[in-house]
Amino acid sequence: MVASSHTAERASHLRSLMLLDEERTTAILPIHLLDCEPSVRLLAATHAPLTDEAPSWLTGPRDDPIEEPEIRLVAAHRSNDRHG
């Protein structure tokens, strides 16, 4: 997991890492769907690779009634992309 000095900085830190090493950073994004910061969850929902496991980890934020609406929308859209 990527660590930063404060949770509010984590999304910015991950975006920087994506610029430096996109493949390696996007590979770890699914775990960040569980992050406490909405901006990190949105980044993860938007950029995590659509692997065979993607449907299972996108259903959590997609179906969570207390998740941020934008994150639910992105997760639903990417889940649909994965299915067809």
Side-chain angles (χ1 to χ4, degrees):
M1 185 177 303
V2 177
S4 66
S5 59
H6 191 275
T7 59
E9 298 171 354
R10 202 163 20 258
S12 178
H13 184 74
L14 284 168
R15 281 190 288 277
S16 295
L17 289 174
M18 285 179 64
L19 291 172
L20 296 171
D21 190 346
E22 183 176 3
E23 185 177 336
R24 186 173 172 189
T25 304
T26 55
I28 64 165
L29 286 178
I31 191 67
H32 291 285
L33 286 165
L34 304 174
D35 198 276
C36 65
E37 290 293 324
S39 59
V40 174
R41 294 192 311 274
L42 179 59
L43 182 75
T46 303
H47 295 287
L50 294 176
T51 63
D52 290 341
E53 297 82 25
S56 64
W57 53 256
L58 284 170
T59 57
R62 182 195 69 197
D63 297 343
D64 186 346
I66 61 171
E67 180 56 270
E68 299 287 326
E70 186 176 11
I71 298 169
R72 286 196 324 259
L73 183 65
V74 168
H77 177 73
R78 297 213 56 228
S79 180
N80 288 337
D81 285 350
R82 176 68 181 144
H83 286 94

